[in-house]
Amino acid sequence: TTPAYEFELTDVEHDFRMVCGPESGAVLSALGDGTVVQPTTFSIASIQPNPFNATSTITLELPSAARVDVQVYNITGQLVTRLVNGLVPQGRQQIAFDATNLASGIYFVHVNIPGQLSEVRKLVLVR
């Protein structure tokens, strides 16, 4: 089996570890004392960078595995791309949006998790 990957960030005030395991595909956060921090609500944690040039990352918080649909629309409401449409494991999940072939402008990311979350966020692509 593929080993899990760990990344540690330590400074004077914080001790934080990220672990990504192949079994679940989930990214979990752990505090320095070993306490695992699981998401408690379905949410869009962030979309960074925004404004962006070429690529941006959509970070979702999933307290349990769920069917996730992530779509991107342009300013006129036309579907540009569907980034995810299927079962996504629990944890903090990152989805890359590559807009290399798109024109500068305003785009909208719609994240739908049936029965849990339906949210739209604005993205600004600047060339």
Side-chain angles (χ1 to χ4, degrees):
T1 64
T2 306
Y5 297 93
E6 295 186 21
F7 304 91
E8 292 189 32
L9 302 171
T10 306
D11 63 22
V12 175
E13 298 176 16
H14 304 91
D15 187 8
F16 186 77
R17 183 172 50 117
M18 299 287 287
V19 179
C20 182
E23 292 80 21
S24 68
V27 176
L28 306 175
S29 302
L31 301 176
D33 63 3
T35 305
V36 174
V37 180
Q38 292 278 2
T40 57
T41 59
F42 290 90
S43 67
I44 300 173
S46 67
I47 300 179
Q48 296 293 326
N50 187 19
F52 71 106
N53 179 354
T55 61
S56 187
T57 301
I58 302 155
T59 303
L60 303 178
E61 296 274 341
L62 306 174
S64 62
R67 181 172 171 77
V68 176
D69 189 14
V70 180
Q71 300 176 12
V72 179
Y73 294 87
N74 65 19
I75 194 74
T76 64
Q78 294 174 314
L79 179 64
V80 173
T81 188
R82 175 174 264 146
L83 299 174
V84 175
N85 186 23
L87 188 63
V88 176
Q90 78 178 61
R92 176 171 276 214
Q93 304 297 334
Q94 295 184 329
I95 303 161
F97 173 41
D98 184 350
T100 304
N101 297 322
L102 297 176
S104 294
I106 297 174
Y107 293 87
F108 297 95
V109 175
H110 178 224
V111 176
N112 185 41
I113 303 170
Q116 301 296 331
L117 176 73
S118 181
E119 190 172 334
V120 176
R121 296 271 184 98
K122 180 173 73 170
L123 270 170
V124 179
L125 173 59
V126 180
R127 296 273 182 212

